[in-house]
Amino acid sequence: WGLYLRIDRQRLQCLNERREGSGALVFRAWEERGDRAQFVESDDDEELLFNVPFTGNVKLKGIIVMGEDDGTHPAEMRLFRNIPHMSFDDTAREPEQTFSLNRDPTGELEYPTKIARFSNVYHLSIHFPKNFGAETTKIFYIGLKGEWTEAHRHEVTICNYEASANPADHKLEQITPQTHFIS
């Protein structure tokens, strides 16, 4: 569950969180998932949207979502890939994968992703549209399982192109024709 180390925490965003910055606290080590002092709670309604940028490319294999054993636990999770700065307006589009969640107060249920759809992810959006009937949604831990590879940076290549070839640049000794003039 080590992908939490590969999250770009400066750009991580959680929409509709009650306390500013609390959405970043739920992405932590699997061993620390039992810490109930760190959680994110939705503000106006039960919806939460996480925009999770990675420091490289990720092959996402599974997700754990840990909440309370009551109505505040999210009931559905929708995953979108490679849509930076996603908003609630963008959640109307078709997700890559949707999960119906079970209550998981211990953080042991793993939801496997369709690896073919999540093999080259640099940005993951996680949308929780509803919970089990409470006014707000509360999440204590989100675990991301998968493989990380370093992003390939495409640098600018400086090239000089010839409009027409200069024969002086392309002389080869063995192909140079011998001309004989008869005078």
Side-chain angles (χ1 to χ4, degrees):
W1 299 97
L3 286 183
Y4 74 98
L5 293 171
R6 305 301 185 184
I7 294 172
D8 187 351
R9 296 215 178 253
Q10 279 71 38
R11 296 185 317 146
L12 187 133
Q13 188 181 32
C14 179
L15 302 180
N16 197 31
E17 61 186 349
R18 181 166 285 172
R19 270 184 309 127
E20 188 72 31
S22 62
L25 302 176
V26 300
F27 296 95
R28 55 184 184 268
W30 189 77
E31 297 80 24
E32 299 171 14
R33 73 189 186 287
D35 182 6
R36 296 203 170 261
Q38 297 180 352
F39 62 90
V40 62
E41 188 172 8
S42 61
D43 190 16
D44 294 331
D45 55 12
E46 70 273 10
E47 278 191 280
L48 278 172
L49 177 63
F50 292 89
N51 284 312
V52 185
F54 295 103
T55 58
N57 290 325
V58 167
K59 182 188 285 186
L60 187 66
K61 295 182 175 179
I63 295 185
I64 287 180
V65 178
M66 184 177 125
E68 208 60 85
D69 195 12
D70 61 8
T72 62
H73 194 290
E76 186 179 321
M77 174 174 61
R78 304 170 78 225
L79 300 180
F80 301 87
R81 68 178 183 90
N82 300 340
I83 308 172
H85 311 294
M86 192 169 175
S87 68
F88 284 110
D89 296 334
D90 299 324
T91 60
R93 67 171 57 183
E94 188 68 28
E96 275 7 281
Q97 193 169 359
T98 303
F99 296 94
S100 291
L101 303 180
N102 295 313
R103 290 187 179 125
D104 186 15
T106 57
E108 294 175 354
L109 284 176
E110 177 185 338
Y111 298 96
T113 61
K114 296 175 182 169
I115 296 175
R117 290 191 178 182
F118 295 97
S119 63
N120 194 16
V121 179
Y122 59 85
H123 188 281
L124 179 70
S125 297
I126 309 170
H127 179 226
F128 296 99
K130 59 186 178 184
N131 59 21
F132 285 101
E135 292 286 319
T136 61
T137 299
K138 197 180 214 182
I139 299 174
F140 291 100
Y141 171 77
I142 298 176
L144 302 174
K145 179 182 180 182
E147 299 171 10
W148 177 84
T149 54
E150 195 167 347
H152 298 291
R153 303 265 185 238
H154 294 288
E155 306 269 333
V156 175
T157 305
I158 299 173
C159 298
N160 291 326
Y161 293 99
E162 297 177 347
S164 62
N166 182 357
D169 291 342
H170 304 285
K171 260 190 182 168
L172 297 173
E173 295 299 320
Q174 64 263 38
I175 301 178
T176 307
Q178 299 293 323
T179 55
H180 302 285
F181 292 103
I182 300 173
S183 49

